[in-house]
Amino acid sequence: MATINFYLDKSDKKGFAPIHLRINCNSEQVKISTGEKIKPEDFDKETQLVKEKSVRVAEINHYLNYLKERADELFNNTYKNSYSNKEIKSKLTDFVNAYKEDHNVNIIREKVSLYGKPFTFVDLFAGAGGFSEGFIQAEHNNKFFDFLVANDINENSELTHVVRYNHQLGLDADFLCQDITEPDFLDNLISKTKGKKVDVVCGGPPCQSFSLAGKRKKFDKKDDLFSHYLEVIKVLQPKYFIMENVKGILTKEKGKIKELILKEINSIVDIKEIPTLTSFIKSLKKSNIDNDFLLDCLIKRIEIEQFTDTKAEEAKETYIKTIDSKFKKLTPKIADYKKSKTDERISTIRHGFNLLVRNKEWEKLKRDIIREKDFCNIDNDYFVDSFTQFLTDIDSNEVINKIEVAFGKLNVAKDFKKSCNDIIQALKIYVLNIDNCLTLIRDYCNKKQSSQLDKIINDIRLYRIEAPFVANSSNYGVPQNRERVLFIGCRKDQKFISEIPATVTEEEKVSVFEALYDLDFIGNNEEVHHYHLVDISKQYNGTAKKMKSLLKTRSIDGKPLKTNGKTFADWSKKGRLNGRFTKAKKPFYVKSTEALNNNEKVFDVLHNHKTSNQGEDVIKRLDIILKEGDYKKAKTKLDKCGLSTNKRNYNVLKPEKQSPTVMTIADDYIHYNSPRALTVREMARLQSFDDSFVFQGKRSTGGNNRKTELPQYTLVGNAVPPLLARAVAMEILKNIK
């Protein structure tokens, strides 16, 4: 049995005594300097900690407790039965050196000296940082990416970002922790770019409301975020942008959502070309005298695209007031004075204009209601229909529909029907995107004019995109079949990219065993902080030869190599970052932003490798499912053993194949060799995160906390696999001008 304590060495000239760790075991003694010094009177020998009055008390005591815990683990709770004195000293010295190296480092160090040609990028809806990680790994012909800003609404995303990119890698990348739908979001984002032009924007707007794996809801706060994402694109006008989404978006509402997204992308215009288009529309008035008013409305609608924020709102208000003015002149011709003041139909039209003029205020109200509705979990209850109806009624499209119905019931004389129809059509133009406006303009063209319009359309569209691209992560060296849709927008002055070439063939794909075998040294309810040697021959006996054959040496992106390659596991341990990060600091974990501010860091060799405390029945259940190889096949046996469960599904990992899509709940997966769920680190490996990427904060959460918290498992499950992001970044670097 070992005794572990701290003692003070002789004080230096300034009166500070070094703190040493001392371990006594079986008449043997190991002494290690902690690297910390304090005044002898500030050390409490009984508690073995620094007294409360001391400077940096929280940080030093956290560090001493951490060292004591790690020393205790080596003797009392370890995979390996015994260590030599040399091994103990070596392992504990690793922790001490990491602490010394990081000690007193500023939150953001001076930026790593750049080499080659940097292109800038911004990561929206960043989560853990899968896109960010892949982009900073990429390098092609001495070109690479300079990370400017990441954005997410969750504090643990920010904490994970700050630790990884500011503290560990020394980058000056900023983080904006704000909802993209808030009015001042764009101003704040632009201020954080520090005046630099943004070359690439990437991000995956949350998509639970239309995910194949989730329930569909009306007016979910996450349903319309792609339009806010595109607003950022309109303002920043990057050379390329990538929007990642679930495959279900392609079939949502029979493909209408996909088509809407493409139309919105095609509606991002080159502002310099707007005068050419408006001049062309004016020229159409000569041959369309009867439609003079509608062509003017099309001009006004298109000119709105020149503006942002306040000016855009003013232009929209002017547009509606112009139509309202036309209606006011028409009213005496279609209704007598008394009727115009009391008639429900006239009032509907008049008040509809009031609603449309106040559209900005109604949109803010709608956003707040949707947020509160989501917070109160209004769904599948007696409240949802009334909320949905109200939110529908205040939408501009529905307001215009009601105005049209009111006009239809007025029984207007034939002489004034065109004027009424023009007002309705003008209101419909107001809510059209530019792509639909261009389609409408064609209706006023003859054959020659239609050819002229084709050229103008080609020039005015700022981005080119033909169709979304379906990418399976396993095609890019990720040991996971995760299909995602990529919308890749290419600015018209850049080379067109329609797909991301695979880096591995079907036969070359990385297996689950390759990704996880070297982490298979952990039992139930354990946390391991070191790597341990895994002896495949001992673990697998008769199948060892087959298991060893699954291991291949590869390039970073998964391509098998005959020489100079590394296994997927070795790449994970070494890291896939490019040569700019030779001065990267050791990875560490903190439980919160407060802990980071107090310097309460945990330096381990291996992070995030902890198993859940599963009860005996759960272990038996998982063991039966594991041996049957499939949850459905195991259900009969589970019933007989009294171990059945209401859980919808378990995914048994197959060592020779790729994993199914990694989600946010670890209990959905069963390890291929042990009746247990996966650790955060194992899920991160299946996502292709390096081991040096530490997921911060709480490990997991449940219940209503899932609305506000983003624990480690959720960070991992929601992330874009870095190797997929790397492939995207590489393709952009090959083509970007």
Side-chain angles (χ1 to χ4, degrees):
M1 185 68 180
T3 58
I4 304 164
N5 58 26
F6 294 98
Y7 71 95
L8 301 184
D9 206 344
K10 186 178 178 182
S11 298
D12 60 19
K13 291 179 181 179
K14 294 181 180 179
F16 287 90
I19 305 174
H20 288 273
L21 173 68
R22 178 168 53 202
I23 304 169
N24 291 300
C25 184
N26 298 328
S27 301
E28 297 281 342
Q29 191 175 83
V30 176
K31 294 180 181 179
I32 300 168
S33 172
T34 67
E36 279 292 350
K37 293 181 179 180
I38 60 167
K39 295 276 187 181
E41 60 269 24
D42 288 341
F43 187 70
D44 189 325
K45 292 182 180 179
E46 187 174 333
T47 63
Q48 293 278 289
L49 294 171
V50 177
K51 294 176 182 177
E52 286 297 323
K53 65 178 181 177
S54 178
V55 178
R56 294 172 51 237
V57 58
E59 177 190 347
I60 296 174
N61 283 342
H62 167 81
Y63 172 52
L64 296 181
N65 283 326
Y66 157 71
L67 275 182
K68 193 170 184 179
E69 285 174 8
R70 294 298 177 266
D72 185 64
E73 283 176 6
L74 292 175
F75 289 96
N76 303 318
N77 184 25
T78 179
Y79 179 81
K80 187 173 178 179
N81 291 327
S82 62
Y83 288 100
S84 67
N85 283 6
K86 186 177 179 181
E87 285 178 308
I88 292 170
K89 192 159 190 172
S90 173
K91 288 187 178 297
L92 292 177
T93 300
D94 284 343
F95 299 135
V96 172
N97 287 342
Y99 176 81
K100 286 180 181 177
E101 183 181 302
D102 183 84
H103 194 52
N104 285 337
V105 171
N106 290 330
I107 288 182
I108 302 174
R109 300 189 307 280
E110 185 177 343
K111 190 169 181 178
V112 177
S113 59
L114 303 180
Y115 63 94
K117 172 65 177 172
F119 291 93
T120 60
F121 80 96
V122 167
D123 187 359
L124 303 178
F125 307 99
F131 260 131
S132 306
E133 194 69 10
F135 268 66
I136 65 169
Q137 288 176 10
E139 182 182 17
H140 179 75
N141 286 346
N142 218 26
K143 295 187 291 187
F144 63 97
F145 281 106
D146 181 16
F147 190 6
L148 295 183
V149 188
N151 151 254
D152 204 281
I153 61 171
N154 193 273
E155 290 180 4
N156 203 31
S157 290
E158 181 175 17
L159 178 62
T160 298
H161 166 101
V162 167
V163 170
R164 174 65 170 172
Y165 300 112
N166 300 148
H167 283 261
Q168 190 186 346
L169 300 186
L171 295 176
D172 62 354
D174 214 330
F175 195 96
L176 176 59
C177 193
Q178 186 181 12
D179 190 329
I180 195 172
T181 66
E182 291 180 9
D184 61 347
F185 175 85
L186 263 168
D187 289 340
N188 292 335
L189 180 68
I190 290 168
S191 71
K192 286 185 177 292
T193 63
K194 301 178 179 73
K196 292 184 179 179
K197 186 70 177 172
V198 178
D199 292 313
V200 180
V201 174
C202 56
C207 47
Q208 285 89 331
S209 59
F210 48 80
S211 168
L212 291 174
K215 293 169 67 178
R216 297 170 189 264
K217 300 178 183 178
K218 274 193 173 183
F219 295 110
D220 188 288
K221 71 174 184 176
K222 298 166 183 170
D223 223 3
D224 193 38
L225 291 177
F226 87 86
S227 64
H228 291 279
Y229 179 90
L230 290 186
E231 281 300 313
V232 175
I233 304 303
K234 286 179 184 178
V235 173
L236 297 183
Q237 298 194 351
K239 294 174 180 177
Y240 292 94
F241 70 85
I242 307 95
M243 188 172 77
E244 178 260 358
N245 240 302
V246 292
K247 193 178 177 183
I249 199 171
L250 297 180
T251 54
K252 189 188 177 186
E253 295 186 19
K254 298 180 180 179
K256 289 180 181 177
I257 297 299
K258 178 198 75 174
E259 293 304 319
L260 174 64
I261 292 173
L262 291 174
K263 281 182 178 291
E264 291 293 340
I265 292 172
N266 284 326
S267 294
I268 302 174
V269 299
D270 184 347
I271 294 172
K272 299 191 298 292
E273 299 294 334
I274 286 179
T276 303
L277 178 59
T278 55
S279 294
F280 174 78
I281 298 170
K282 286 174 185 175
S283 72
L284 295 178
K285 293 167 75 172
K286 295 175 185 177
S287 54
N288 292 275
I289 298 170
D290 290 344
N291 292 307
D292 190 86
F293 173 71
L294 290 178
L295 288 168
D296 279 339
C297 286
L298 279 165
I299 291 169
K300 286 186 176 69
R301 169 64 190 90
I302 288 162
E303 286 178 338
I304 291 172
E305 295 300 307
Q306 299 175 100
F307 310 120
T308 57
D309 302 333
T310 305
K311 284 189 176 181
E313 293 303 324
E314 289 172 357
K316 288 177 182 177
E317 188 175 323
T318 300
Y319 184 101
I320 297 298
K321 285 183 176 178
T322 301
I323 305 171
D324 187 19
S325 177
K326 184 177 178 68
F327 176 67
K328 284 175 180 174
K329 291 176 183 176
L330 178 66
T331 305
K333 300 173 184 178
I334 62 175
D336 58 43
Y337 180 78
K338 184 178 179 182
K339 185 178 180 181
S340 70
K341 295 297 180 183
T342 59
D343 189 90
E344 185 180 35
R345 295 161 296 181
I346 298 290
S347 295
T348 297
I349 297 167
R350 187 179 291 124
H351 299 162
F353 286 125
N354 293 339
L355 289 168
L356 292 172
V357 165
R358 300 276 295 173
N359 179 64
K360 182 181 179 182
E361 287 72 18
W362 286 109
E363 284 297 316
K364 182 182 182 301
L365 179 62
K366 184 162 74 171
R367 186 176 69 244
D368 291 343
I369 291 171
I370 291 170
R371 187 177 292 147
E372 285 300 317
K373 173 179 171 285
D374 183 78
F375 184 81
C376 297
N377 204 28
I378 303 299
D379 183 40
N380 192 32
D381 53 38
Y382 293 160
F383 302 108
V384 70
D385 287 344
S386 54
F387 272 90
T388 300
Q389 189 59 55
F390 177 70
L391 291 166
T392 300
D393 286 343
I394 63 174
D395 183 76
S396 294
N397 286 285
E398 186 59 25
V399 171
I400 293 168
N401 287 341
K402 283 186 169 62
I403 292 173
E404 184 175 12
V405 170
F407 268 115
K409 292 182 177 181
L410 274 174
N411 299 317
V412 176
K414 188 177 180 181
D415 291 347
F416 305 110
K417 277 199 171 179
K418 185 176 188 313
S419 293
C420 293
N421 290 335
D422 282 355
I423 288 173
I424 295 166
Q425 185 62 27
L427 291 173
K428 290 181 177 179
I429 289 170
Y430 171 71
V431 291
L432 288 181
N433 57 35
I434 293 300
D435 196 60
N436 287 331
C437 285
L438 294 171
T439 301
L440 185 58
I441 293 166
R442 197 178 295 280
D443 292 341
Y444 299 101
C445 296
N446 58 35
K447 192 172 182 181
K448 183 181 177 182
Q449 291 166 334
S450 192
S451 296
Q452 290 177 295
L453 181 62
D454 286 337
K455 184 182 184 309
I456 293 171
I457 288 173
N458 187 60
D459 291 340
I460 202 168
R461 282 180 175 159
L462 189 59
Y463 290 95
R464 288 179 294 161
I465 184 170
E466 290 177 354
F469 171 64
V470 179
N472 189 333
S473 299
S474 64
N475 292 329
Y476 305 96
V478 181
Q480 176 192 175
N481 281 315
R482 185 188 192 95
E483 287 190 312
R484 285 297 185 267
V485 171
L486 300 177
F487 291 86
I488 306 172
C490 313
R491 205 171 70 189
K492 64 181 184 179
D493 60 334
Q494 300 294 314
K495 287 186 178 180
F496 182 63
I497 298 174
S498 60
E499 62 179 16
I500 309 300
T503 60
V504 295
T505 65
E506 189 67 32
E507 296 74 28
E508 295 170 342
K509 290 183 176 183
V510 180
S511 67
V512 167
F513 185 75
E514 290 183 82
L516 303 185
Y517 84 96
D518 66 317
L519 295 176
D520 190 14
F521 48 73
I522 191 168
N524 183 52
N525 193 28
E526 285 186 359
E527 182 171 10
V528 183
H529 305 100
H530 305 270
Y531 295 101
H532 295 283
L533 183 64
V534 173
D535 191 329
I536 297 175
S537 298
K538 286 183 180 179
Q539 275 200 353
Y540 292 93
N541 294 322
T543 60
K545 187 176 180 181
K546 175 188 172 184
M547 304 311 284
K548 285 180 180 178
S549 71
L550 295 175
L551 301 180
K552 297 180 176 67
T553 54
R554 302 175 178 272
S555 62
I556 285 178
D557 56 13
K559 194 75 177 173
L561 297 174
K562 290 184 179 179
T563 57
N564 299 324
K566 298 183 189 298
T567 64
F568 182 91
D570 284 340
W571 276 120
S572 299
K573 285 185 275 196
K574 179 183 183 293
R576 300 174 177 90
L577 296 171
N578 62 40
R580 295 159 54 209
F581 300 100
T582 54
K583 295 181 180 179
K585 299 294 183 181
K586 293 251 194 294
F588 64 86
Y589 165 80
V590 288
K591 66 180 180 179
S592 64
T593 301
E594 183 182 4
L596 178 63
N597 293 336
N598 289 335
N599 237 355
E600 296 172 6
K601 304 172 184 177
V602 174
F603 293 95
D604 285 324
V605 178
L606 175 63
H607 291 271
N608 303 128
H609 200 37
K610 179 180 180 179
T611 51
S612 302
N613 184 12
Q614 295 177 313
E616 191 176 330
D617 283 351
V618 174
I619 294 172
K620 287 179 182 177
R621 180 184 300 124
L622 298 185
D623 192 44
I624 290 171
I625 299 169
L626 178 60
K627 285 172 180 173
E628 291 293 322
D630 182 81
Y631 182 40
K632 288 181 180 177
K633 291 179 182 177
K635 280 188 173 181
T636 303
K637 194 168 183 179
L638 290 172
D639 287 339
K640 288 181 181 178
C641 299
L643 294 170
S644 59
T645 173
N646 292 327
K647 192 169 174 63
R648 186 178 60 182
N649 194 30
Y650 286 100
N651 294 290
V652 181
L653 297 184
K654 309 296 181 185
E656 72 282 1
K657 296 182 179 180
Q658 291 72 48
S659 81
T661 300
V662 170
M663 304 295 275
T664 59
I665 302 174
D667 292 348
D668 287 351
Y669 309 92
I670 301 176
H671 192 276
Y672 59 86
N673 192 43
S674 307
R676 63 172 177 84
L678 301 181
T679 67
V680 170
R681 180 51 52 201
E682 286 170 326
M683 288 178 71
R685 283 275 189 98
L686 294 179
Q687 283 276 60
S688 74
F689 279 97
D690 291 346
D691 289 3
S692 62
F693 191 108
V694 182
F695 296 88
Q696 308 296 334
K698 293 173 67 172
R699 179 169 162 271
S700 62
T701 193
N704 285 332
N705 289 338
R706 288 181 181 172
K707 288 184 178 292
T708 55
E709 296 177 347
L710 206 66
Q712 295 168 15
Y713 276 118
T714 306
L715 281 173
V716 176
N718 284 344
V720 174
L723 279 182
L724 170 59
R726 183 182 187 275
V728 172
M730 289 291 287
E731 191 63 16
I732 291 174
L733 287 178
K734 289 173 186 176
N735 291 282
I736 196 168
K737 296 178 185 178

